[in-house]
Amino acid sequence: MHKLLVTLLVSTTAALASGGEFFPLETGNTWTYREASTGQSFTVRVGLPVLIEDTVYYSLRGYVETPVFVRFDEKNNQVVYFDEERRLEIPLTVFAPMESGWWHAPLRPCEQEGQTAGRPGHYTGAAGPIPALEIRYRAFGCADTGVEQEQFAANIGMLRRTVQTIAGPRDFDLVFARVGRLRLGALPEASFSAAAALHQRADSIEITMRLETPEPVRLRFASSQEYDVVLRDSQGAVIWRWSDGRAFLPARQERVVAGSWSATVHIPAPVSVEPGPRAYTVEAWLTTEPGAPQYAVTLPLIFPPGDITPAER
C-alpha cells in the first residue's frame, strides 16, 4: 500500500470514533477496492445532496446492490437510506455496537444480518495491523455469495470488505480514496480524470477524459467500445448516455497506454422546464474487462452556466 495511505490510516485510527466518521458522506468522496488475486474491483461514490421531505440525503452508489439516497443518523449511530416506495428511512449500516444482537442488512447480494463489534479489531492489509471498527455478517438461504465482514477506519471509511465466493472468501482492499480534501492512493502510477467545459455556442457540454501513467498500462476491452459517459439528473436518473444508438465491434481489443490517453465527448445541453441553474452528475469510465485495470470518475456540474468542478480518480 502506498506510503501516504499508510501514514494517514495510522494517524486517523488511534481510537474508534462515531459512525459518521467511519462513513464520511460528502459529495465527491470516492473509495475504490481491489481483490489482489483476480484484479476485480468496485468503487463507492457519494453524489450530490438532494432534499426529500425536508431532509437532506446524499446519493450513494457502489456500496450496496442498488443506488440509494442516504444520510447519517447520529442519534442511532447508523447510516440510513430512504425507501422511496414505503416513504420511510431504513438502517443500511449500523455502527452502534451489538455484541449479542444482529441488525437487518438490506440490499446486499442475499438476505443478511450484521453485527457490529464493540471493541476495535485490526486491519491486517499492507498498512496493518491498524485498529479498525469491524462488522461481521451472516447470510440466510444463499451459498457462495454475500458479505462476510467489513472494516472501517475513522475519517477514511471502509478499508476492506470480505465476500464469500465459490472459490472461498475474497478480500477487497482499499486501493484509492478521495475523502474531503484527502487524496489517498495505493496506485500512484496511474490517474484517471475528467474535466467539463461549456461549448462556445452553449448547446453542449464538452467532457474530456484523461488517463495518465508514467509506466505502460495494458487495457483489455470486450469490444471496440473503450469508454462510456452518462449524464444523470439530481435524482440519479439517466438522461443521456454516450453509447446509446452506437454500434461496436464484438471482437476483443487491447490498448497499451504509456504516458497519456484522452478522449472528448459532447453532451447535449440538458433541457428543463424549471428556470435557473440545475445540478447534474456526469459519470465517465473505461469499459475494460473484469480483471483488467478499472478507471472511473464522477463529475458534479451545474447547468446553465455555473461552476463546473473537475473530479479526479
Side-chain angles (χ1 to χ4, degrees):
M1 187 173 289
H2 191 257
K3 184 177 180 180
L4 174 61
L5 182 55
V6 174
T7 302
L8 286 173
L9 288 179
V10 171
S11 65
T12 56
T13 56
L16 292 184
S18 71
E21 294 175 340
F22 285 113
F23 208 137
L25 295 176
E26 180 181 342
T27 299
N29 284 0
T30 304
W31 302 266
T32 296
Y33 305 87
R34 182 168 297 172
E35 202 281 314
S37 63
T38 64
Q40 290 181 312
S41 66
F42 70 95
T43 298
V44 178
R45 299 185 181 89
V46 180
L48 297 171
V50 297
L51 188 65
I52 303 177
E53 297 184 358
D54 298 324
T55 301
V56 176
Y57 296 85
Y58 288 87
S59 170
L60 180 66
R61 296 178 179 276
Y63 179 67
V64 288
E65 293 286 278
T66 183
V68 287
F69 291 111
V70 300
R71 72 175 183 89
F72 186 73
D73 173 10
E74 293 191 16
K75 180 180 179 181
N76 297 299
N77 202 9
Q78 60 189 7
V79 173
V80 298
Y81 76 96
F82 185 78
D83 187 308
E84 297 184 72
E85 291 186 1
R86 289 182 282 179
R87 311 303 294 179
L88 53 80
E89 291 185 340
I90 297 176
L92 183 67
T93 300
V94 178
F95 293 97
M98 291 182 109
E99 293 287 5
S100 60
W102 296 80
W103 45 268
H104 178 59
L107 307 180
R108 272 67 174 185
C110 60
E111 187 70 18
Q112 293 201 252
E113 290 182 336
Q115 186 179 78
T116 308
R119 296 181 178 181
H122 286 88
Y123 172 72
T124 56
I130 296 171
L133 180 144
E134 294 184 345
I135 299 175
R136 66 188 183 102
Y137 295 87
R138 63 183 182 184
F140 300 91
C142 59
D144 303 328
T145 187
V147 180
E148 286 197 345
Q149 186 186 63
E150 292 175 340
Q151 295 178 297
F152 295 81
N155 303 315
I156 299 297
M158 189 169 68
L159 301 176
R160 170 183 287 173
R161 172 180 287 174
T162 302
V163 301
Q164 184 59 258
T165 71
I166 194 170
R170 298 290 189 186
D171 292 331
F172 285 80
D173 287 290
L174 181 68
V175 294
F176 174 87
R178 184 176 63 249
V179 183
R181 295 183 179 181
L182 297 179
R183 185 181 174 89
L184 319 176
L187 301 174
E189 71 278 2
S191 65
F192 186 62
S193 63
L198 188 65
H199 193 272
Q200 290 182 349
R201 294 183 300 173
D203 59 356
S204 67
I205 301 168
E206 183 179 275
I207 303 294
T208 300
M209 297 166 283
R210 185 177 302 276
L211 175 64
E212 296 182 344
T213 173
E215 298 181 3
V217 175
R218 185 179 300 275
L219 306 177
R220 298 189 305 273
F221 304 91
S223 71
S224 61
Q225 182 183 3
E226 296 186 347
Y227 56 84
D228 210 345
V229 178
V230 162
L231 178 67
R232 297 180 184 272
D233 62 20
S234 60
Q235 300 301 311
V238 174
I239 58 176
W240 182 86
R241 185 186 300 271
W242 176 80
S243 60
D244 284 350
R246 298 176 184 268
F248 302 98
L249 297 175
R252 295 182 64 190
Q253 310 282 334
E254 279 197 2
R255 176 189 289 272
V256 177
V257 177
S260 179
W261 168 93
S262 65
T264 298
V265 303
H266 289 86
I267 300 176
V271 178
S272 174
V273 296
E274 299 179 3
R278 298 173 300 280
Y280 297 90
T281 301
V282 175
E283 296 176 2
W285 66 95
L286 301 186
T287 55
T288 50
E289 290 184 330
Q294 307 288 307
Y295 300 99
V297 66
T298 299
L299 184 69
L301 59 83
I302 302 296
F303 191 88
D307 294 332
I308 299 178
T309 306
E312 295 184 348
R313 173 197 180 282

